[in-house]
Amino acid sequence: AQSVTQPDIHITVSEGASLELRCNYSYGATPYLFWYVQSPGQGLQLLLKYFSGDTLVQGIKGFEAEFKRSQSSFNLRKPSVHWSDAAEYFCAVGGFTSGTYKYIFGTGTRLKVLA
Amino acid sequence: GAVVSQHPSRVICKSGTSVKIECRSLDFQATTMFWYRQFPKQSLMLMATSNEGSKATYEQGVEKDKFLINHASLTLSTLTVTSAHPEDSSFYICSADSQGVEQFFGPGTRLTVL
């Protein structure tokens, strides 16, 4: 069965600083990987996704993520954080479980940005 | 493209009543729809998966008689919370895919049971 771990529950960074949010997954085959952002009371917005090919993926809002098969990781990065990036970030793995394709979400990382 | 809507966005109901939440794919036909539940400051937990014209498949621990799912067409799925109680208060999010590997999410419905 697939699983996703986001080790950091909370992260605080200063505006303008770089950011890395960690995501580790467990899945027997090549997974489909996603990062979503959620503002309070809102739905999910897709930041980026990885299916195959180039392991460095560019997304919206200046985010990027790198798929590292050897480390079973798909960490999200941003070189310079803006105050508007404060939100909850979820990593998700798409894969087949008992013949059904589904997503498994990580527990989320709450980002706080200091002015 | 790939827009999913939910209605209502917020609903408040009395304990013991039933509430229906609609999930629609606006610009594509959804082979499969998913229903998630999210408690405050927690992650999304998959409740059930539904395919058009078939019975929904519920995740372990989800009461199928409490959470009735109907996927009557390729663009509409409904979740009915029957005999709602305060512990059913939560944020419910649906998603849909079209024979692909990416799900498209609705904006969510906040249910408050008094």
Side-chain angles (χ1 to χ4, degrees), chain B residues 22-109:
Chain B
E22 291 187 349
C23 176
R24 293 182 184 273
S25 57
L26 299 184
D27 52 3
F28 67 102
Q29 293 187 324
T31 310
T32 306
M33 287 185 165
F34 305 82
W35 287 96
Y36 295 85
R37 183 174 182 176
Q38 185 180 31
F39 289 107
K41 299 185 178 182
Q42 293 191 24
S43 187
L44 283 76
M45 297 299 296
L46 180 64
M47 300 174 64
T49 303
S50 72
N51 293 290
E52 185 261 341
S54 303
K55 287 185 178 180
T57 301
Y58 291 82
E59 294 298 300
Q60 192 172 4
V62 177
E63 300 176 61
K64 57 183 66 177
D65 294 331
K66 158 70 82 173
F67 300 100
L68 300 179
I69 292 171
N70 184 276
H71 193 162
S73 76
L74 285 173
T75 59
L76 173 64
S77 176
T78 59
L79 168 68
T80 301
V81 183
T82 62
S83 187
H85 292 282
E87 57 267 29
D88 299 322
S89 297
S90 191
F91 194 54
Y92 293 88
I93 301 176
C94 74
S95 70
D97 73 24
S98 178
Q99 296 184 320
V101 298
E102 181 176 352
Q103 295 179 24
F104 302 96
F105 288 84
T109 296

Side-chain angles (χ1 to χ4, degrees), chain B residues 12-19 66 80-89 111-114:
Chain B
I12 301 173
C13 68
K14 293 182 178 180
S15 184
T17 62
S18 294
V19 174
K66 158 70 82 173
T80 301
V81 183
T82 62
S83 187
H85 292 282
E87 57 267 29
D88 299 322
S89 297
L111 170 63
T112 303
V113 184
L114 303 176

Side-chain angles (χ1 to χ4, degrees), chain A residues 30-79:
Chain A
T30 300
Y32 301 102
L33 297 163
F34 307 85
W35 273 101
Y36 291 89
V37 60
Q38 185 181 37
S39 296
Q42 304 296 311
L44 301 180
Q45 181 180 23
L46 177 68
L47 289 174
L48 45 76
K49 59 192 176 188
Y50 174 78
F51 292 169
S52 64
D54 192 345
T55 56
L56 184 62
V57 181
Q58 300 299 318
I60 63 171
K61 303 185 177 186
F63 285 94
E64 67 177 26
E66 186 171 12
F67 170 59
K68 293 185 177 180
R69 184 187 302 275
S70 61
Q71 298 177 21
S72 297
S73 69
F74 188 56
N75 295 347
L76 182 71
R77 301 192 294 248
K78 186 169 185 177

